Amino acid sequence: MQNDTLAPLFFIGVADGVGSWKPKKACDAAHYAQELMLSGIKFLDNATQKDILINGSESATTTTSSKFDATHNTLSQKIAANSSQYVNETMHFDGASTLCIVNICEYNVDQFKCQLNGYVLGDSGFCVYRHRHPSLVPVEPDTKGDDECCYECIYVTPAQIQGFGIPYQLGSHPTANTVEDGYSLKHFNLQSRDIVIVGSDGLWDNLYQNEISEMICGTMTKYYKNWCRECEERNSDIYFNDFVHAQIVNGDLNHKIMKQAYQNSLDRQKTTPWSEQMTQTVDMVYNGGKPDDITCVVVFIH
């Protein structure tokens, strides 16, 4: 969602219903997660400039690239608090959900294009990927000929869990967490051509970071070759970032990542982040992915 009237802010949210606390109420978990997102949208529709400014100065004088605290001092966390209160106390929904909210603000200072502020509670989360040599124009293959390592994960949110398979969660039940149990990431500087991926645990349990990096690198290399060919054949002067943006918006990279996560989730022999956790928990070798709902949002920083 984009808020056009108050500030150049872009919002991405993922809420993943948790049904394990009450298996017969799995449908309520999905409804609870959906209402969290809808409540967040309503909050933004009625947001004031004062609400927007809670993000902080977001200026070049901000020296921290990341800072964690438990107060409602970012817009993402304020949205989480408002949504949780509305769903629990006003609508009285029965259910539980993890939550991840990210807002990206443009400000164009020095080499940075944007700043990211985020709030996470549970095992939904986000990662930031950056080209290893951002000065290359635009993303030519590595000089060693290794296209699969051109992008690397420079930030990943750690999963918050109370025990194996039990994530931190907002909810109506007595043992649910509060918004203060989550954490906020403030003023994380983003560069042009960074890629932000927001997803549910169904994504992170079935794909390693290096697998996602390889898919990004392979896809961006393909984009580069297609862009060069189009510029030559059509005598076009389209900017590379515009070309990539069109492909990302069409869902090309997003579909590739989700498809691989889904295939891994059904593979009974593959080693996955989930199988590694299972192996450590049950103290015996466990292989295979985790069949689960998979949510993935890909953001390309133009």
Side-chain angles (χ1 to χ4, degrees):
M1 178 179 180
Q2 178 182 358
N3 185 313
D4 295 312
T5 59
L6 297 174
L9 285 167
F10 300 84
F11 301 86
I12 308 102
V14 169
D16 186 20
V18 180
S20 57
W21 67 279
K22 202 171 186 179
K24 293 183 180 180
K25 290 287 187 179
C27 60
D28 291 338
H31 195 191
Y32 188 94
Q34 292 162 3
E35 288 300 329
L36 276 178
M37 291 289 93
L38 291 173
S39 297
I41 292 173
K42 291 177 182 177
F43 173 83
L44 289 173
D45 285 341
N46 298 301
T48 65
Q49 188 68 34
K50 181 179 179 181
D51 294 322
I52 298 299
L53 291 176
I54 196 172
N55 260 341
S57 62
E58 297 186 317
S59 67
T61 58
T62 302
T63 57
T64 55
S65 61
S66 63
K67 181 190 298 183
F68 296 87
D69 55 55
T71 58
H72 299 171
N73 63 351
T74 67
L75 182 55
S76 292
Q77 190 167 359
K78 187 169 185 178
I79 294 171
N82 180 274
S83 299
S84 177
Q85 181 180 23
Y86 182 75
V87 172
N88 287 331
E89 299 179 12
T90 303
M91 304 190 76
H92 302 289
F93 275 158
D94 191 17
S97 176
T98 64
L99 184 63
C100 175
I101 300 176
V102 171
N103 71 74
I104 297 173
C105 180
E106 299 181 40
Y107 74 107
N108 288 311
V109 176
D110 298 327
Q111 77 271 33
F112 299 111
K113 297 288 290 184
C114 311
Q115 280 187 337
L116 180 151
N117 296 277
Y119 171 81
V120 175
L121 186 138
D123 52 9
S124 294
F126 61 90
C127 294
V128 180
Y129 295 84
R130 179 168 294 166
H131 196 279
R132 292 169 58 246
H133 306 291
S135 60
L136 291 180
V137 182
V139 283
E140 294 177 288
D142 191 281
T143 54
K144 296 180 181 180
D146 186 1
D147 297 349
E148 295 185 347
C149 63
C150 59
Y151 266 81
E152 61 183 346
C153 181
I154 62 170
Y155 180 80
V156 54
T157 54
Q160 293 179 299
I161 57 174
Q162 303 176 54
F164 182 69
I166 308 174
Y168 281 30
Q169 56 201 261
L170 299 173
S172 58
H173 57 93
T175 59
N177 298 95
T178 66
V179 171
E180 287 75 15
D181 291 327
Y183 60 80
S184 294
L185 174 67
K186 296 177 59 180
H187 309 321
F188 190 97
N189 291 323
L190 297 174
Q191 295 180 358
S192 177
R193 301 189 185 121
D194 280 354
I195 291 178
V196 180
I197 296 181
V198 186
S200 64
D201 66 315
L203 179 68
W204 313 120
D205 284 340
N206 290 298
L207 282 174
Y208 289 103
Q209 297 302 330
N210 68 298
E211 290 181 288
I212 298 177
S213 293
E214 289 174 6
M215 282 186 280
I216 293 174
C217 291
T219 301
M220 292 295 282
T221 299
K222 179 188 71 174
Y223 290 165
Y224 175 72
K225 292 177 181 178
N226 291 345
W227 173 73
C228 289
R229 182 168 57 251
E230 181 167 319
C231 289
E232 181 178 353
E233 293 177 353
R234 301 185 180 182
N235 193 26
S236 171
D237 58 354
I238 182 174
Y239 186 43
F240 178 72
N241 283 13
D242 292 335
F243 183 87
V244 173
H245 177 261
Q247 308 303 312
I248 297 291
V249 168
N250 284 337
D252 179 62
L253 179 57
N254 190 70
H255 179 265
K256 180 178 295 186
I257 293 172
M258 290 193 67
K259 181 179 179 180
Q260 189 60 57
Y262 176 70
Q263 290 176 341
N264 289 0
S265 75
L266 301 179
D267 190 332
R268 297 294 84 192
Q269 302 301 319
K270 187 174 180 61
T271 300
T272 62
W274 169 257
S275 69
E276 284 196 357
Q277 295 174 43
M278 278 290 289
T279 297
Q280 295 172 6
T281 300
V282 302
D283 197 24
M284 61 180 291
V285 177
Y286 183 92
N287 292 322
K290 177 191 176 186
D292 197 0
D293 297 333
I294 300 172
T295 301
C296 176
V297 181
V298 176
V299 181
F300 176 69
I301 305 303
H302 199 289

